[in-house]
Amino acid sequence: MTEMKPVSEATAVKAPVLPDAQTVTEVKHWTDRLFSFKVSRPASLRFRSGEFVMIGLLGDNGKPLLRAYSIASPSWDEELEFYSIKVQDGPLTSKLQHIQPGDQIILRPKPVGTLVHDALLPGKRLWFFATGTGFAPFASLLREPQTYEDYDEVIITHTCRDVAELDYGRELIENIRQDELLAELIGEGFANKIRYYPTTTREESPKMGRITELLKDGSVFADLGIEGGIKPDTDRAMVCGSLAFNHDIKAILEEFGLREGANSEPKEFVIEKAFVG
Ligand SMILES: Cc1cc2nc3c(=O)[nH]c(=O)nc-3n(C[C@H](O)[C@H](O)[C@H](O)COP(=O)(O)OP(=O)(O)OC[C@H]3O[C@@H](n4cnc5c(N)ncnc54)[C@H](O)[C@@H]3O)c2cc1C
Ligand SMILES: NC(=O)c1ccc[n+]([C@@H]2O[C@H](COP(=O)([O-])OP(=O)(O)OC[C@H]3O[C@@H](n4cnc5c(N)ncnc54)[C@H](OP(=O)(O)O)[C@@H]3O)[C@@H](O)[C@H]2O)c1
């Protein structure tokens, strides 16, 4: 093991000491509030697409400063990808936003979470409902072969304030559609099952409005040509957003007759927080 030093605002740690240190291989800044990055994957790490882990940096006091992060890459990938907010005065992300390839982060290899296929009963149509960085677990599940083995149709909705906040998700889906290796791995034409439904709430875009409102007034179903709305016998859903969003979507799904499931008790939908507060 080598030495790992605390991170200051402008410099990220270069030398690993902790057994849980991983090396940053790629960083991409999407907006002044959003970035994504890739790190090396510990050989022993097994996870189910959709799960989250604790990652972080050494704080100024020399102790690990860790936060929950959804793994945005699929379970078969050699590297691990994350999609992150930059909170300017956030204890972790005020520093994490400065990482560069070659730097080290801490990654606790204990994946957990409810946004996994095992927590849902079999169905025909799978809905992913995301706001903001809540897209991250779905970036993993959209590249997971089981998603397409289990479902005939996969609808991903992503609601953000501004158009630029949709870029990570939009580009990821475009790349999935053109990825020949993925088509080989998952099956030719798999991407035709994906239906992408992005909306914005504060900046003009082709589809404006909170997804909750668009579900309630039926626009989503009209836009996608779905008759009869969400049905408990065929439709399954995974939800990832703020506490308020999760609360509101849960009420809507329950009104459609779906029940919340868990790893130990699979049902028709599952929910995870994209952040607390
Ligand atoms: C299960 C779970 C999975 C998570 N996965 C991710 C992920 O994949 N990507 C990610 O960026 N964050 C994720 N988070 C949030 C993450 O754990 C941290 O809160 C975030 O990295 C900010 O850390 P911080 O120390 O800078 O600020 P914190 O002190 O943790 O947060 C400060 C404030 O910033 C706001 N905030 C925090 N995170 C977000 C966010 N993601 N989007 C919008 N506002 C936010 C909240 O108002 C919060 O009170 C997840 C949280 C949970 C519980
Ligand atoms: N995004 C920014 O540009 C920005 C800039 C500075 C600070 N912040 C702060 O960062 C934090 C997180 O911001 P965020 O934009 O990442 O996440 P957010 O506030 O959860 O909003 C993300 C998207 O989800 C929508 N949404 C929020 N609550 C909802 C609900 N109950 N039902 C349906 N849709 C809902 C929002 O619509 P609405 O627009 O209608 O709320 C927005 O389009 C907030 O505390 C915010 O004050 C954000």
Side-chain angles (χ1 to χ4, degrees):
M1 274 188 297
T2 40
E3 194 191 353
M4 189 168 186
K5 294 180 191 148
V7 173
S8 63
E9 173 101 10
T11 59
V13 180
K14 290 246 166 12
V17 222
L18 302 173
D20 292 336
Q22 297 300 324
T23 305
V24 177
T25 58
E26 206 178 300
V27 182
K28 183 161 179 180
H29 292 269
W30 297 90
T31 70
D32 60 356
R33 292 186 69 246
L34 294 166
F35 71 116
S36 60
F37 58 96
K38 292 182 182 176
V39 302
S40 54
R41 176 173 177 169
S44 60
L45 176 67
R46 297 277 172 276
F47 68 96
R48 294 177 293 175
S49 292
E51 287 186 315
F52 68 87
V53 285
M54 302 301 291
I55 66 168
L57 297 166
L58 274 190
D60 292 333
N61 61 2
K63 292 192 179 148
L65 175 57
L66 301 173
R67 293 285 185 269
Y69 268 80
S70 295
I71 302 174
S73 46
S75 60
W76 50 264
D77 210 340
E78 284 172 10
E79 291 186 312
L80 298 174
E81 181 183 339
F82 297 97
Y83 179 48
S84 180
I85 192 80
K86 304 174 198 174
V87 182
Q88 289 318 326
D89 55 355
L92 178 65
T93 57
S94 59
K95 292 176 176 158
L96 190 70
Q97 62 181 284
H98 299 294
I99 54 167
Q100 289 178 7
D103 291 341
Q104 304 281 326
I105 67 156
I106 301 165
L107 187 147
R108 295 273 192 254
K110 292 196 179 67
V112 285
T114 54
L115 301 181
V116 290
H117 284 305
D118 299 347
L120 291 177
L121 293 170
K124 289 194 185 328
R125 180 162 52 207
L126 179 59
W127 295 79
F128 294 144
F129 293 109
T131 58
T133 58
F135 190 89
F138 306 134
S140 173
L141 284 156
L142 281 166
R143 292 178 279 182
E144 165 59 49
Q146 194 186 345
T147 302
Y148 307 95
E149 284 159 17
D150 289 1
Y151 296 94
D152 300 335
E153 199 178 359
V154 180
I155 301 173
I156 165 90
T157 83
H158 192 198
T159 299
C160 292
R161 294 177 177 208
D162 304 328
V163 175
E165 292 173 337
L166 295 167
D167 284 352
Y168 171 81
R170 173 173 286 122
E171 193 170 293
L172 185 119
I173 291 169
E174 276 167 14
N175 287 340
I176 288 175
R177 291 192 195 285
Q178 290 162 12
D179 193 323
E180 288 173 14
L181 278 177
L182 263 185
E184 218 169 276
L185 181 78
I186 301 179
E188 208 59 51
F190 82 94
N192 297 333
K193 292 186 174 181
I194 303 173
R195 309 197 63 191
Y196 176 46
Y197 196 82
T199 83
T200 58
T201 49
R202 311 226 181 165
E203 188 183 1
E204 198 70 38
S205 77
K207 195 75 207 177
M208 299 281 301
R210 289 181 164 196
I211 192 68
T212 42
E213 297 308 314
L214 298 168
L215 283 166
K216 282 192 230 163
D217 71 12
S219 331
V220 180
F221 309 120
D223 291 341
L224 297 173
I226 293 171
E227 278 177 31
I230 293 175
K231 303 181 204 76
D233 52 338
T234 51
D235 290 59
R236 302 290 172 263
M238 295 192 186
V239 179
C240 191
S242 64
L243 287 174
F245 172 71
N246 289 359
H247 174 269
D248 292 355
I249 277 270
K250 178 178 153 90
I252 291 170
L253 292 175
E254 285 176 345
E255 226 163 89
F256 278 116
L258 277 62
R259 299 162 303 161
E260 185 173 358
N263 273 286
S264 54
E265 205 176 349
K267 287 188 182 158
E268 291 89 23
F269 74 92
V270 279
I271 291 194
E272 197 130 83
K273 290 185 281 281
F275 60 91
V276 184

